[in-house]
Amino acid sequence: MLKVWGRVNSVNVKKVLWMLDEIGIPYDRVNAGLEHGVVNDPPYRAMNPNGRVPTIEDGDFVLWESNSILRYLAMKHGSALYPAEPAARASADRWMDWQLSTLSPAERNLFWGLVRTPPEKRDMAAVMAAAKAAGECWSMLDAHIARHGGPFIDGAAMTIADIVLGCYARRWFGPEVQVEGMPNFPALAAWYAAVGERPGFARWVAVPMT
Ligand SMILES: N[C@@H](CCC(=O)N[C@@H](CS)C(=O)NCC(=O)O)C(=O)O
């Protein structure tokens, strides 16, 4: 049976768990990362030299990098969430690459600074800078969704990019991370409401952030 390594409060593990709900296959999950340890144990490092979560084992095949895992699961199980048509597929890939290269580095200190740092230790200048940088990123997706008409990132059909960005949007819209001056993004908010209706989002992403 498919095995998923990773703690449920990791944004990158949440992507995989939501995806598995979408395709509906059985799997086992093993807690790993932060307080669970495991990621520095030699057997885990042999699977994933980065010492990060998630990692999956599908028979003899081991895979890490959450966005690659979503692509793999969609291809293996014939999910329409990774479109076959080249332009549609490339657009989904583009937003997933953008999450890794641009969004994540920009928004990291907003989430870590407020959710994973006690109030007395917070660097609020870094939090505010991250809120500004994250807002600049989310404004790009807001404009893209407004242009394409929603309800999903590229229009009528949901893709794995909606799962990836939906997990990160929880770190923008969540009550845990609100600071003064965060802009409103109407198209992004409507999209967030649409992805919020997916059972996999409700189960793995909507829960309180820790
Ligand atoms: N680009 C990687 C990032 C993986 C990553 O940084 N995972 C974090 C959790 S979101 C992690 O492993 N943190 C250390 C830990 O949990 O011990 C992916 O998308 O899978």
Side-chain angles (χ1 to χ4, degrees):
M1 189 183 306
L2 178 73
K3 192 188 262 193
V4 178
W5 296 81
R7 53 189 170 81
V8 294
N9 65 344
S10 145
V11 65
N12 292 305
V13 174
K14 287 174 191 285
K15 295 173 189 172
V16 175
L17 298 176
W18 177 359
M19 179 67 183
L20 287 166
D21 275 19
E22 294 286 345
I23 57 181
I25 55 163
Y27 63 93
D28 286 330
R29 188 183 62 79
V30 182
N31 266 326
L34 289 185
E35 70 272 23
H36 303 287
V38 177
V39 294
N40 292 320
D41 296 348
Y44 189 88
R45 286 282 171 144
M47 287 195 299
N48 182 344
N50 302 290
R52 301 258 153 185
V53 291
T55 300
I56 63 164
E57 279 182 281
D58 192 14
D60 290 339
F61 181 55
V62 172
L63 188 63
W64 40 264
E65 278 301 330
S66 57
N67 295 353
S68 298
I69 292 171
L70 265 58
R71 293 181 181 103
Y72 168 74
L73 290 173
M75 289 188 285
K76 175 156 184 188
H77 298 283
S79 168
L81 290 172
Y82 194 34
E85 195 277 314
R89 175 167 291 201
S91 185
D93 280 337
R94 169 260 308 269
W95 285 112
M96 293 162 76
D97 290 347
W98 176 81
Q99 174 263 305
L100 284 171
S101 65
T102 306
L103 175 67
S104 258
E107 64 84 54
R108 190 174 191 278
N109 283 338
L110 179 60
F111 169 76
W112 270 85
L114 294 177
V115 176
R116 298 231 172 114
T117 308
E120 68 281 5
K121 294 202 172 139
R122 283 179 189 161
D123 176 350
M124 285 312 290
V127 167
M128 297 310 282
K132 184 168 179 295
E136 284 163 9
C137 289
W138 288 118
S139 77
M140 297 180 212
L141 186 59
D142 179 63
H144 176 88
I145 293 167
R147 245 188 343 267
H148 288 77
F152 298 109
I153 290 177
D154 277 324
M158 177 172 155
T159 73
I160 51 177
D162 292 282
I163 295 180
V164 168
L165 273 307
C167 290
Y168 273 87
R170 173 75 180 80
R171 291 160 55 132
W172 173 258
F173 286 108
E176 302 93 335
V177 289
Q178 296 309 303
V179 292
E180 219 180 308
M182 283 164 82
N184 288 322
F185 295 122
L188 190 75
W191 161 79
Y192 186 64
V195 293
E197 285 175 16
R198 303 300 304 171
F201 179 97
R203 183 170 176 205
W204 299 111
V205 186
V207 295
M209 293 195 288
T210 57

